[in-house]
Amino acid sequence: MHLGGAWIVLASARPRRSSPIEASLETQSLTVFVDDVDTHFERTKASGAQIVEEERQYGVEDLESHSWFSRNMFANVRPEEWGAIIS
């Protein structure tokens, strides 16, 4: 999958690796910043995706029950400015 200037590799569960639906728990999530979350949301919802969250961002589950979140980027700030601990 190509998103902007990045490639994202998607794969199904393999031996010794369970998908969230197989493990009955969330194993990861992914946040994608988009320019217009409202338009992105409407397009995603119209495609039949299962919407799991709606608050100026939205979350969907893929076919293996991985969570994906999309939201507007409000400000581009350095991680230290919002409290991230860089080690």
Side-chain angles (χ1 to χ4, degrees), residues 1-6 8 29-41 43-44 55-59 67-79 82:
M1 168 190 231
H2 190 246
L3 182 64
I8 300 171
S29 67
L30 176 70
T31 299
V32 178
F33 291 100
V34 295
D35 291 330
D36 182 353
V37 74
D38 297 319
T39 299
H40 196 269
F41 169 78
R43 189 175 59 234
T44 302
E55 295 181 13
R56 293 297 297 158
Q57 71 172 17
Y58 69 95
S67 296
W68 292 66
F69 297 94
S70 295
R71 67 183 68 176
N72 284 343
M73 183 174 299
F74 295 104
N76 189 8
V77 296
R78 297 175 348 151
W82 53 263

Side-chain angles (χ1 to χ4, degrees), residues 15-71:
R16 298 185 319 211
R17 294 184 183 176
S18 297
S19 70
I21 204 164
E22 294 168 335
S24 297
L25 54 90
E26 187 172 300
T27 58
Q28 59 79 40
S29 67
L30 176 70
T31 299
V32 178
F33 291 100
V34 295
D35 291 330
D36 182 353
V37 74
D38 297 319
T39 299
H40 196 269
F41 169 78
E42 291 302 328
R43 189 175 59 234
T44 302
K45 187 175 181 179
S47 76
Q50 179 182 351
I51 305 298
V52 297
E53 182 177 329
E54 291 184 53
E55 295 181 13
R56 293 297 297 158
Q57 71 172 17
Y58 69 95
V60 299
E61 290 182 350
D62 65 21
L63 299 176
E64 299 269 348
S65 290
H66 294 101
S67 296
W68 292 66
F69 297 94
S70 295
R71 67 183 68 176

